[in-house]
Amino acid sequence: MKVEAKKKFGQNFISDQNLIKKIVSILGDDEDQLIIEIGPGTGALTKLLAQKYNKVVAIEIDTDMEPILKKEVQSDNFELFLSDVLLVDFEKLISEKKQHDNQKVSVISNMPYYITSEILFRTLNVSNMLTKAVFMMQKEVAIRVCSYKGENNYNNLSVACEFFADKKYEFTVPKHMFFPVPKVDSAIISLTFNNKYTDQIEDKDKFLTFLRKIFNNRRKTILNNLSNVTNDKTKANEILDTVRIDKNLRPEVIGLEDFIKMYIQIK
């Protein structure tokens, strides 16, 4: 059955079975997982997920996919949730679908390019309930997410993901492996969530806002950017003196631990 991809939903489908197996394998061999798939499309990944894991909940915005998914994935452990992912209460969904307290929860998605950041941040917001996330996204964005201090693509998104998880650029997916063929290559990344840093900061949303402001002007020094956050250059000077950071450095050469120290001083 031929399916027309809808541009308004950013749909690009994959069908290569070797690629699908490679993507799913990143979630690990523990069968006792609740897997939340965002944007299952025609069910290429979903079918294998339902065969391998104990519970699969797929969130799909396109109602035309419902009969296709129900035909492709005939399994008692599969549940289709027709909704716009940006309207889904992930905390409630996970609480309701989790089969027992010790069950791992992972998220997987071939992310629509136009809402990549929104899905990423919504996932980070419930990171305390998750074990892992496996995302396919534009290669350029994947490189940015997986960058570390001193690298060209390092920005607030890089720091935010490092704050919540161990991040890994898994592999590149050439554009010709999709239909319709997009304009750019994609990549698979994984986020393995931990509490290495998150326990240090109570209001995580405010910390993420702080990171966005700190990287607001990459060409300015950390002193100038921090001054814009505090609205007080004297205060910014005092903070940088306290945490012993060179005021002439630019944000892209400063690491996560130093940003945490700065934020705590502001608070």
Side-chain angles (χ1 to χ4, degrees):
M1 180 179 179
K2 186 170 174 59
V3 180
E4 293 292 331
K6 295 175 183 172
K7 192 173 182 180
K8 67 177 180 178
F9 294 140
Q11 291 174 338
N12 295 95
F13 304 125
I14 52 174
S15 58
D16 185 282
Q17 287 302 306
N18 289 327
L19 174 59
I20 289 165
K21 288 176 183 176
K22 192 175 179 182
I23 295 169
V24 171
S25 71
I26 300 168
L27 291 170
D29 295 326
D30 186 350
E31 295 176 0
D32 186 21
Q33 292 192 59
L34 164 61
I35 307 295
I36 297 173
E37 184 185 11
I38 300 168
T42 58
L45 275 172
T46 323
K47 195 171 183 177
L48 185 55
L49 291 170
Q51 289 170 4
K52 188 170 181 179
Y53 300 107
N54 284 358
K55 181 70 177 178
V56 178
V57 177
I59 303 167
E60 176 57 59
I61 192 173
D62 186 358
T63 54
D64 288 347
M65 294 298 169
E66 183 176 13
I68 298 166
L69 284 164
K70 287 186 174 177
K71 182 182 177 184
E72 285 295 313
V73 192
Q74 297 181 16
S75 176
D76 292 338
N77 63 337
F78 168 65
E79 190 173 338
L80 179 60
F81 196 59
L82 290 170
S83 176
D84 180 345
V85 68
L86 300 184
L87 301 177
V88 173
D89 182 336
F90 274 94
E91 194 168 337
K92 182 181 177 186
L93 179 69
I94 293 167
S95 298
E96 288 178 350
K97 303 304 177 184
K98 201 172 176 182
Q99 295 166 311
H100 58 84
D101 290 343
N102 295 324
Q103 188 173 38
K104 293 178 181 177
V105 184
S106 296
V107 176
I108 189 167
S109 180
N110 173 10
M111 298 164 87
Y113 292 164
Y114 71 103
I115 53 170
T116 295
S117 293
E118 288 94 329
I119 293 176
L120 193 50
F121 279 108
R122 286 174 69 81
T123 305
L124 296 179
N125 283 338
V126 290
S127 64
N128 61 312
M129 304 178 81
L130 301 174
T131 300
K132 182 171 275 193
V134 176
F135 291 135
M136 186 186 299
M137 56 182 66
Q138 280 185 331
K139 182 180 178 181
E140 179 186 350
V141 180
I143 291 171
R144 200 175 302 148
V145 167
C146 294
S147 291
Y148 288 91
K149 69 174 183 178
E151 296 178 352
N152 288 336
N153 293 280
Y154 183 69
N155 70 354
N156 66 293
L157 190 58
S158 320
V159 186
C161 289
E162 186 183 353
F163 177 64
F164 287 99
D166 295 322
K167 53 191 188 178
K168 184 180 179 185
Y169 186 102
E170 297 284 352
F171 56 87
T172 301
V173 183
K175 58 187 177 182
H176 65 77
M177 299 196 79
F178 295 88
F179 67 93
V181 178
K183 294 179 180 178
V184 295
D185 289 338
S186 294
I188 300 290
I189 70 154
S190 66
L191 300 172
T192 303
F193 298 103
N194 58 59
N195 293 314
K196 198 187 301 182
Y197 299 107
T198 52
D199 289 345
Q200 297 180 44
I201 290 176
E202 189 175 340
D203 194 328
K204 294 166 185 58
D205 284 341
K206 286 185 178 178
F207 179 61
L208 295 180
T209 300
F210 161 75
L211 290 176
R212 280 194 289 273
K213 288 180 178 177
I214 279 289
F215 279 88
N216 200 37
N217 194 325
R218 288 168 57 88
R219 305 190 75 172
K220 287 189 176 181
T221 65
I222 188 62
L223 175 60
N224 282 322
N225 279 290
L226 187 58
S227 298
N228 289 333
V229 174
T230 60
N231 294 314
D232 183 340
K233 196 163 189 176
T234 302
K235 173 74 171 173
N237 265 297
E238 289 173 358
I239 289 170
L240 293 172
D241 284 339
T242 301
V243 297
R244 298 181 179 181
I245 294 172
D246 185 339
K247 297 164 191 175
N248 294 312
L249 294 177
R250 291 198 171 110
E252 63 260 32
V253 297
I254 296 172
L256 169 61
E257 291 183 2
D258 282 333
F259 285 125
I260 291 173
K261 290 175 186 174
M262 275 185 249
Y263 180 78
I264 290 172
Q265 287 301 315
I266 291 172
K267 300 301 290 181

